[in-house]
Amino acid sequence: MKIGIVGLPNVGKSTLFNALTGAGALVANYAFATINPNVGVVPVPDERLLALARTVKTTKIIPATVEFVDIAGLVRGASHGEGLGNQFLSHIREVDAILHVVRCFEDDNIVHVSAKVDPVEDFKTVEVELILADIAHLDKRRAKVAKMAKSNEPELLAELALLDQILEHLNAGLPARSFESDSMDPNYLQKVHLLSSKPILVVANVKEGMDLEEDPHFLALADYFAAEKLEVLPVMADIEAEINELAPEERDSFREEMGYPESGLDRIIREAYRLLGLISFFTGNEKEAHAWTIRAGSPAPKAAGAIHTDFERGFIRAEVISVMDLVEFGSFAAAREKGQVRSEGKTYIVRDGDYIIFRFNV
Protein backbone atom coordinates (compact mmCIF):
# COMPACT_ATOMS: atom_id res chain seq x y z
CA MET A 1 0.00 0.00 0.00
CA LYS A 2 1.42 3.38 -1.00
CA ILE A 3 0.99 6.77 0.66
CA GLY A 4 1.98 9.71 -1.57
CA ILE A 5 3.48 12.76 0.20
CA VAL A 6 2.29 15.89 -1.64
CA GLY A 7 2.20 19.64 -1.19
CA LEU A 8 3.64 22.85 -2.58
CA PRO A 9 7.42 23.08 -3.07
CA ASN A 10 9.48 23.91 0.04
CA VAL A 11 6.86 22.94 2.61
CA GLY A 12 8.94 20.09 4.09
CA LYS A 13 7.84 17.04 2.09
CA SER A 14 11.31 15.60 1.61
CA THR A 15 12.30 16.51 5.17
CA LEU A 16 9.27 14.60 6.44
CA PHE A 17 10.01 11.72 4.07
CA ASN A 18 13.56 11.52 5.47
CA ALA A 19 12.23 11.66 9.02
CA LEU A 20 9.82 8.80 8.28
CA THR A 21 12.18 6.60 6.31
CA GLY A 22 15.75 7.70 7.06
CA ALA A 23 16.27 7.50 3.30
CA GLY A 24 18.35 10.67 2.92
CA ALA A 25 16.37 12.23 0.06
CA LEU A 26 17.66 15.59 -1.22
CA VAL A 27 16.36 18.56 0.76
CA ALA A 28 16.95 21.94 -0.91
CA ASN A 29 15.70 25.51 -0.65
CA TYR A 30 14.35 25.70 -4.19
CA ALA A 31 11.36 24.35 -6.06
CA PHE A 32 11.48 20.93 -7.75
CA ALA A 33 14.53 19.62 -5.90
CA THR A 34 12.63 16.32 -6.14
CA ILE A 35 11.97 15.19 -9.71
CA ASN A 36 11.67 11.41 -9.56
CA PRO A 37 9.67 10.18 -6.56
CA ASN A 38 11.61 8.81 -3.60
CA VAL A 39 10.21 5.62 -2.09
CA GLY A 40 10.67 4.23 1.42
CA VAL A 41 9.07 1.36 3.34
CA VAL A 42 8.30 2.15 6.98
CA PRO A 43 7.43 -0.30 9.79
CA VAL A 44 4.16 0.34 11.61
CA PRO A 45 4.99 0.87 15.30
CA ASP A 46 3.04 -1.64 17.38
CA GLU A 47 3.74 -2.43 21.04
CA ARG A 48 1.61 -5.58 20.69
CA LEU A 49 4.21 -7.11 18.36
CA LEU A 50 7.01 -6.45 20.85
CA ALA A 51 4.94 -8.01 23.63
CA LEU A 52 4.25 -11.05 21.45
CA ALA A 53 7.96 -11.45 20.70
CA ARG A 54 8.74 -11.52 24.42
CA THR A 55 5.96 -14.05 25.02
CA VAL A 56 7.04 -16.50 22.31
CA LYS A 57 10.71 -15.86 23.17
CA THR A 58 11.99 -14.75 19.80
CA THR A 59 14.30 -11.93 18.78
CA LYS A 60 13.16 -11.90 15.15
CA ILE A 61 10.40 -9.35 14.66
CA ILE A 62 8.65 -8.67 11.34
CA PRO A 63 6.33 -5.65 11.56
CA ALA A 64 3.55 -4.51 9.26
CA THR A 65 4.74 -1.83 6.84
CA VAL A 66 3.53 1.19 4.87
CA GLU A 67 5.23 2.49 1.73
CA PHE A 68 5.72 6.25 1.47
CA VAL A 69 6.37 8.04 -1.83
CA ASP A 70 7.92 11.54 -1.80
CA ILE A 71 6.32 13.30 -4.79
CA ALA A 72 7.64 16.57 -6.22
CA GLY A 73 5.93 19.82 -5.25
CA LEU A 74 2.85 20.86 -7.19
CA VAL A 75 2.30 24.48 -8.22
CA ARG A 76 -0.61 26.47 -9.57
CA GLY A 77 -1.23 25.33 -13.14
CA ALA A 78 0.15 21.82 -12.57
CA SER A 79 -2.97 20.30 -14.16
CA HIS A 80 -2.00 22.14 -17.36
CA GLY A 81 1.64 21.08 -17.19
CA GLU A 82 3.19 23.88 -15.10
CA GLY A 83 6.31 22.72 -13.25
CA LEU A 84 6.24 19.31 -14.93
CA GLY A 85 2.81 18.99 -13.33
CA ASN A 86 1.44 16.25 -15.59
CA GLN A 87 4.35 13.99 -14.69
CA PHE A 88 3.95 14.65 -10.97
CA LEU A 89 0.18 14.18 -11.09
CA SER A 90 0.69 10.77 -12.67
CA HIS A 91 2.80 9.80 -9.65
CA ILE A 92 -0.10 10.73 -7.36
CA ARG A 93 -2.47 8.63 -9.45
CA GLU A 94 -0.41 5.55 -8.56
CA VAL A 95 -0.74 5.86 -4.76
CA ASP A 96 -3.53 4.58 -2.53
CA ALA A 97 -3.80 7.62 -0.26
CA ILE A 98 -2.39 11.13 0.11
CA LEU A 99 -0.40 12.66 2.93
CA HIS A 100 -0.70 16.40 2.28
CA VAL A 101 2.06 18.45 3.95
CA VAL A 102 1.23 22.10 4.65
CA ARG A 103 3.74 24.67 5.87
CA CYS A 104 2.62 26.36 9.11
CA PHE A 105 5.70 28.43 9.97
CA GLU A 106 7.39 31.66 8.97
CA ASP A 107 11.05 31.54 7.93
CA ASP A 108 12.68 34.17 5.71
CA ASN A 109 15.45 31.71 4.89
CA ILE A 110 13.07 29.21 3.26
CA VAL A 111 11.52 30.40 0.01
CA HIS A 112 7.74 30.19 -0.31
CA VAL A 113 6.49 29.84 -3.88
CA SER A 114 3.75 32.41 -3.22
CA ALA A 115 6.01 34.67 -1.13
CA LYS A 116 3.46 34.38 1.71
CA VAL A 117 2.71 31.63 4.23
CA ASP A 118 -1.02 30.87 4.12
CA PRO A 119 -1.68 27.20 4.98
CA VAL A 120 -5.33 27.16 3.91
CA GLU A 121 -4.62 28.79 0.53
CA ASP A 122 -1.60 26.53 0.05
CA PHE A 123 -3.77 23.47 0.62
CA LYS A 124 -6.44 24.80 -1.73
CA THR A 125 -3.85 25.45 -4.46
CA VAL A 126 -2.83 21.80 -4.54
CA GLU A 127 -6.37 20.47 -4.17
CA VAL A 128 -7.66 22.66 -7.02
CA GLU A 129 -4.99 21.19 -9.29
CA LEU A 130 -6.09 17.68 -8.36
CA ILE A 131 -9.73 18.60 -9.05
CA LEU A 132 -8.86 20.18 -12.42
CA ALA A 133 -6.89 17.09 -13.38
CA ASP A 134 -9.90 14.95 -12.42
CA ILE A 135 -12.22 17.10 -14.56
CA ALA A 136 -9.97 16.66 -17.59
CA HIS A 137 -9.74 12.93 -16.88
CA LEU A 138 -13.52 12.50 -16.55
CA ASP A 139 -14.28 14.66 -19.60
CA LYS A 140 -12.39 12.11 -21.69
CA ARG A 141 -14.20 9.20 -20.07
CA ARG A 142 -17.56 10.91 -20.51
CA ALA A 143 -16.96 11.41 -24.23
CA LYS A 144 -16.16 7.72 -24.58
CA VAL A 145 -19.17 6.58 -22.53
CA ALA A 146 -21.51 9.01 -24.35
CA LYS A 147 -20.47 7.50 -27.67
CA MET A 148 -21.12 3.95 -26.47
CA ALA A 149 -24.38 4.97 -24.74
CA LYS A 150 -25.97 5.64 -28.12
CA SER A 151 -26.78 1.93 -28.01
CA ASN A 152 -29.21 2.81 -25.18
CA GLU A 153 -27.78 0.14 -22.89
CA PRO A 154 -29.09 0.87 -19.38
CA GLU A 155 -25.69 0.46 -17.68
CA LEU A 156 -24.01 2.94 -20.01
CA LEU A 157 -26.82 5.44 -19.67
CA ALA A 158 -26.62 5.15 -15.88
CA GLU A 159 -22.84 5.71 -15.94
CA LEU A 160 -23.26 8.72 -18.21
CA ALA A 161 -25.73 10.27 -15.77
CA LEU A 162 -23.37 9.52 -12.89
CA LEU A 163 -20.43 11.10 -14.71
CA ASP A 164 -22.48 14.26 -15.24
CA GLN A 165 -23.23 14.39 -11.50
CA ILE A 166 -19.58 13.93 -10.55
CA LEU A 167 -18.44 16.54 -13.07
CA GLU A 168 -20.96 19.02 -11.70
CA HIS A 169 -19.59 18.35 -8.21
CA LEU A 170 -15.97 18.81 -9.33
CA ASN A 171 -16.76 21.96 -11.34
CA ALA A 172 -18.17 23.45 -8.14
CA GLY A 173 -14.63 23.19 -6.73
CA LEU A 174 -15.41 20.20 -4.51
CA PRO A 175 -13.14 17.13 -4.27
CA ALA A 176 -14.43 13.75 -5.41
CA ARG A 177 -14.01 12.34 -1.90
CA SER A 178 -17.03 14.41 -0.77
CA PHE A 179 -19.27 13.23 -3.63
CA GLU A 180 -22.17 10.99 -2.58
CA SER A 181 -24.76 9.10 -4.60
CA ASP A 182 -27.09 6.31 -3.51
CA SER A 183 -26.94 4.75 -6.96
CA MET A 184 -23.14 4.71 -7.25
CA ASP A 185 -21.02 1.60 -6.86
CA PRO A 186 -18.92 2.41 -3.75
CA ASN A 187 -15.76 1.46 -5.67
CA TYR A 188 -16.56 3.55 -8.75
CA LEU A 189 -14.44 6.58 -7.84
CA GLN A 190 -11.45 4.33 -7.23
CA LYS A 191 -12.12 2.48 -10.46
CA VAL A 192 -11.91 5.69 -12.49
CA HIS A 193 -8.72 6.73 -10.65
CA LEU A 194 -9.73 10.19 -9.46
CA LEU A 195 -6.95 12.02 -7.62
CA SER A 196 -9.28 13.98 -5.36
CA SER A 197 -11.15 10.83 -4.30
CA LYS A 198 -8.14 9.38 -2.49
CA PRO A 199 -8.21 9.25 1.32
CA ILE A 200 -6.25 12.18 2.73
CA LEU A 201 -4.14 12.81 5.83
CA VAL A 202 -3.19 16.44 6.46
CA VAL A 203 0.12 17.16 8.22
CA ALA A 204 1.02 20.63 9.46
CA ASN A 205 4.77 21.16 9.37
CA VAL A 206 5.42 23.33 12.43
CA LYS A 207 8.54 24.69 14.12
CA GLU A 208 9.93 24.04 17.58
CA GLY A 209 8.52 26.32 20.24
CA MET A 210 5.24 27.10 18.47
CA ASP A 211 2.15 27.29 20.69
CA LEU A 212 -0.39 25.40 18.60
CA GLU A 213 -3.27 26.66 20.73
CA GLU A 214 -2.36 30.22 19.76
CA ASP A 215 -0.63 29.96 16.38
CA PRO A 216 -2.87 31.56 13.71
CA HIS A 217 -1.53 29.40 10.86
CA PHE A 218 -2.23 26.09 12.60
CA LEU A 219 -5.59 27.22 13.98
CA ALA A 220 -6.75 28.41 10.55
CA LEU A 221 -5.84 25.05 9.02
CA ALA A 222 -7.56 23.08 11.80
CA ASP A 223 -10.71 25.22 11.48
CA TYR A 224 -10.79 24.71 7.71
CA PHE A 225 -10.89 20.92 8.08
CA ALA A 226 -13.32 20.85 11.01
CA ALA A 227 -16.28 20.73 8.57
CA GLU A 228 -14.79 17.62 6.88
CA LYS A 229 -14.07 16.13 10.30
CA LEU A 230 -10.44 15.73 9.27
CA GLU A 231 -7.82 16.08 11.97
CA VAL A 232 -4.64 18.03 11.21
CA LEU A 233 -1.54 16.32 12.60
CA PRO A 234 1.22 18.73 13.72
CA VAL A 235 4.79 17.50 13.14
CA MET A 236 8.17 19.21 13.45
CA ALA A 237 9.65 17.60 10.36
CA ASP A 238 13.14 19.09 10.78
CA ILE A 239 13.45 18.00 14.43
CA GLU A 240 12.07 14.53 13.62
CA ALA A 241 14.57 14.18 10.77
CA GLU A 242 17.44 15.09 13.12
CA ILE A 243 16.25 12.59 15.73
CA ASN A 244 16.02 9.87 13.07
CA GLU A 245 19.72 10.35 12.32
CA LEU A 246 20.61 9.30 15.89
CA ALA A 247 21.29 5.72 16.90
CA PRO A 248 18.01 3.97 17.83
CA GLU A 249 19.01 3.63 21.49
CA GLU A 250 19.64 7.40 21.73
CA ARG A 251 16.33 8.59 20.26
CA ASP A 252 14.07 8.10 23.31
CA SER A 253 16.46 9.85 25.69
CA PHE A 254 16.88 12.74 23.23
CA ARG A 255 13.11 13.09 22.96
CA GLU A 256 12.79 13.23 26.72
CA GLU A 257 15.46 15.92 26.92
CA MET A 258 13.65 17.92 24.22
CA GLY A 259 10.29 17.41 25.93
CA TYR A 260 8.79 15.40 23.05
CA PRO A 261 8.14 11.94 24.54
CA GLU A 262 5.85 10.84 21.71
CA SER A 263 7.04 10.65 18.13
CA GLY A 264 4.79 12.55 15.72
CA LEU A 265 6.04 10.16 13.06
CA ASP A 266 4.66 7.10 14.83
CA ARG A 267 1.27 8.79 14.90
CA ILE A 268 1.48 9.62 11.18
CA ILE A 269 2.38 6.03 10.33
CA ARG A 270 -0.46 4.60 12.44
CA GLU A 271 -2.95 7.11 11.00
CA ALA A 272 -1.78 6.35 7.45
CA TYR A 273 -2.27 2.64 8.11
CA ARG A 274 -5.77 3.33 9.47
CA LEU A 275 -6.53 5.68 6.57
CA LEU A 276 -6.05 2.83 4.13
CA GLY A 277 -8.54 0.69 6.07
CA LEU A 278 -5.87 -1.77 7.16
CA ILE A 279 -5.56 -3.88 10.29
CA SER A 280 -2.91 -6.22 11.69
CA PHE A 281 -3.19 -9.78 12.86
CA PHE A 282 -0.31 -11.72 14.36
CA THR A 283 1.46 -15.04 14.19
CA GLY A 284 4.45 -16.04 16.26
CA ASN A 285 6.68 -18.78 17.62
CA GLU A 286 10.30 -19.14 18.70
CA LYS A 287 11.39 -18.45 15.10
CA GLU A 288 9.67 -15.07 14.63
CA ALA A 289 6.89 -12.71 15.70
CA HIS A 290 5.06 -11.42 12.63
CA ALA A 291 2.42 -8.71 12.08
CA TRP A 292 0.42 -9.28 8.89
CA THR A 293 -1.49 -6.60 6.99
CA ILE A 294 -5.02 -7.14 5.67
CA ARG A 295 -8.02 -5.02 4.82
CA ALA A 296 -10.49 -4.48 7.64
CA GLY A 297 -13.45 -6.82 7.12
CA SER A 298 -11.38 -9.66 5.64
CA PRO A 299 -12.59 -13.22 6.36
CA ALA A 300 -10.23 -15.77 7.88
CA PRO A 301 -9.32 -17.54 4.57
CA LYS A 302 -8.29 -14.19 3.04
CA ALA A 303 -6.10 -13.48 6.05
CA ALA A 304 -4.56 -16.94 5.67
CA GLY A 305 -3.79 -16.07 2.05
CA ALA A 306 -1.73 -13.09 3.24
CA ILE A 307 0.71 -15.64 4.65
CA HIS A 308 0.60 -18.12 1.77
CA THR A 309 -1.85 -18.92 -1.01
CA ASP A 310 -1.83 -22.58 0.08
CA PHE A 311 -3.18 -21.52 3.49
CA GLU A 312 -6.17 -19.89 1.81
CA ARG A 313 -6.71 -22.66 -0.73
CA GLY A 314 -6.66 -25.45 1.86
CA PHE A 315 -8.18 -23.51 4.76
CA ILE A 316 -9.85 -25.70 7.41
CA ARG A 317 -10.17 -23.46 10.44
CA ALA A 318 -8.46 -20.69 12.41
CA GLU A 319 -7.52 -20.95 16.07
CA VAL A 320 -7.86 -17.42 17.41
CA ILE A 321 -7.13 -15.41 20.54
CA SER A 322 -6.46 -11.73 21.12
CA VAL A 323 -2.70 -11.20 21.05
CA MET A 324 -2.81 -9.27 24.34
CA ASP A 325 -4.80 -12.09 25.96
CA LEU A 326 -2.12 -14.49 24.72
CA VAL A 327 0.53 -12.28 26.32
CA GLU A 328 -1.43 -12.26 29.58
CA PHE A 329 -1.71 -16.08 29.68
CA GLY A 330 1.96 -16.45 28.80
CA SER A 331 1.61 -19.07 26.07
CA PHE A 332 -0.82 -20.44 23.52
CA ALA A 333 -0.95 -23.78 25.39
CA ALA A 334 -1.89 -22.05 28.65
CA ALA A 335 -4.59 -20.02 26.94
CA ARG A 336 -6.02 -23.16 25.31
CA GLU A 337 -6.09 -24.99 28.64
CA LYS A 338 -8.19 -22.18 30.10
CA GLY A 339 -10.60 -22.33 27.14
CA GLN A 340 -9.63 -18.94 25.77
CA VAL A 341 -8.73 -20.08 22.23
CA ARG A 342 -11.64 -20.01 19.74
CA SER A 343 -12.01 -22.24 16.69
CA GLU A 344 -13.32 -20.13 13.80
CA GLY A 345 -14.44 -21.10 10.30
CA LYS A 346 -14.45 -19.55 6.84
CA THR A 347 -16.97 -16.83 7.66
CA TYR A 348 -15.03 -15.42 10.63
CA ILE A 349 -14.06 -11.76 10.11
CA VAL A 350 -10.56 -11.21 11.42
CA ARG A 351 -10.22 -8.47 14.05
CA ASP A 352 -7.36 -6.10 14.56
CA GLY A 353 -5.04 -7.65 17.15
CA ASP A 354 -6.00 -11.29 16.59
CA TYR A 355 -3.31 -13.92 17.12
CA ILE A 356 -4.08 -16.80 14.73
CA ILE A 357 -2.89 -20.31 14.02
CA PHE A 358 -4.30 -21.50 10.68
CA ARG A 359 -5.14 -25.14 10.08
CA PHE A 360 -5.12 -26.12 6.42
CA ASN A 361 -4.75 -29.07 4.09
CA VAL A 362 -3.67 -29.06 0.42
Side-chain angles (χ1 to χ4, degrees), residues 131-332:
I131 292 171
L132 290 173
D134 284 345
I135 290 171
H137 181 67
L138 280 193
D139 278 340
K140 292 178 182 177
R141 183 177 184 92
R142 189 197 181 285
K144 182 178 178 181
V145 172
K147 186 176 181 179
M148 294 188 296
K150 290 179 180 179
S151 63
N152 288 324
E153 290 185 34
E155 288 186 6
L156 293 172
L157 291 171
E159 182 177 5
L160 187 61
L162 179 60
L163 286 168
D164 285 338
Q165 293 174 30
I166 300 172
L167 282 166
E168 182 180 0
H169 183 84
L170 294 172
N171 278 303
L174 300 171
R177 67 176 178 274
S178 63
F179 176 79
E180 295 180 357
S181 172
D182 294 336
S183 62
M184 180 177 66
D185 174 350
N187 298 316
Y188 183 78
L189 295 178
Q190 289 182 332
K191 188 167 68 176
V192 293
H193 306 295
L194 296 186
L195 302 175
S196 67
S197 71
K198 295 181 183 294
I200 185 170
L201 182 65
V202 182
V203 170
N205 188 12
V206 301
K207 284 293 185 183
E208 182 183 359
M210 287 174 56
D211 183 350
L212 299 183
E213 294 183 359
E214 299 290 339
D215 182 75
H217 291 321
F218 181 78
L219 291 176
L221 196 63
D223 287 345
Y224 178 76
F225 286 107
E228 277 197 69
K229 296 182 180 179
L230 284 177
E231 184 179 3
V232 178
L233 301 182
V235 171
M236 292 174 288
D238 53 350
I239 299 296
E240 295 285 0
E242 290 177 16
I243 292 174
N244 209 35
E245 291 177 359
L246 300 173
E249 61 273 13
E250 298 176 359
R251 294 172 189 171
D252 289 342
S253 60
F254 184 80
R255 286 186 187 283
E256 289 181 13
E257 290 176 15
M258 294 288 290
Y260 307 127
E262 182 183 10
S263 166
L265 301 182
D266 286 354
R267 190 176 176 199
I268 285 177
I269 295 166
R270 285 194 298 267
E271 283 298 309
Y273 195 70
R274 180 197 60 76
L275 187 69
L276 290 170
L278 305 177
I279 62 170
S280 295
F281 74 90
F282 301 88
T283 60
N285 51 37
E286 66 279 359
K287 294 182 180 179
E288 67 179 36
H290 201 138
W292 301 90
T293 299
I294 57 172
R295 292 276 186 189
S298 296
K302 183 65 69 175
I307 300 175
H308 197 286
T309 53
D310 282 352
F311 284 26
E312 181 175 7
R313 185 160 53 91
F315 179 89
I316 299 173
R317 69 181 185 278
E319 297 181 2
V320 184
I321 183 174
S322 160
V323 69
M324 295 313 295
D325 286 347
L326 174 65
V327 169
E328 183 178 341
F329 286 107
S331 72
F332 189 78

Side-chain angles (χ1 to χ4, degrees), residues 13-150:
K13 297 184 306 301
S14 294
T15 301
L16 180 62
F17 175 80
N18 287 339
L20 286 165
T21 66
L26 174 64
V27 177
N29 188 23
Y30 55 85
F32 311 122
T34 302
I35 299 296
N36 296 315
N38 302 300
V39 180
V41 177
V42 179
V44 177
D46 197 325
E47 292 294 328
R48 298 172 299 180
L49 183 61
L50 302 179
L52 173 62
R54 292 191 293 268
T55 301
V56 298
K57 298 178 174 54
T58 183
T59 57
K60 185 177 180 181
I61 296 174
I62 305 176
T65 59
V66 175
E67 187 172 309
F68 285 94
V69 184
D70 177 24
I71 296 170
L74 294 169
V75 296
R76 195 180 305 277
S79 57
H80 302 295
E82 290 293 328
L84 299 180
N86 291 331
Q87 178 183 344
F88 299 160
L89 286 166
S90 71
H91 295 155
I92 299 173
R93 207 173 295 282
E94 295 169 2
V95 303
D96 300 292
I98 291 173
L99 192 161
H100 193 144
V101 182
V102 183
R103 174 175 166 176
C104 282
F105 62 86
E106 301 279 355
D107 191 330
D108 293 338
N109 296 316
I110 300 178
V111 176
H112 191 287
V113 291
S114 301
K116 178 186 177 184
V117 176
D118 187 332
V120 173
E121 287 304 313
D122 290 352
F123 176 86
K124 288 180 179 179
T125 294
V126 173
E127 180 142 279
V128 164
E129 295 306 320
L130 301 185
I131 292 171
L132 290 173
D134 284 345
I135 290 171
H137 181 67
L138 280 193
D139 278 340
K140 292 178 182 177
R141 183 177 184 92
R142 189 197 181 285
K144 182 178 178 181
V145 172
K147 186 176 181 179
M148 294 188 296
K150 290 179 180 179

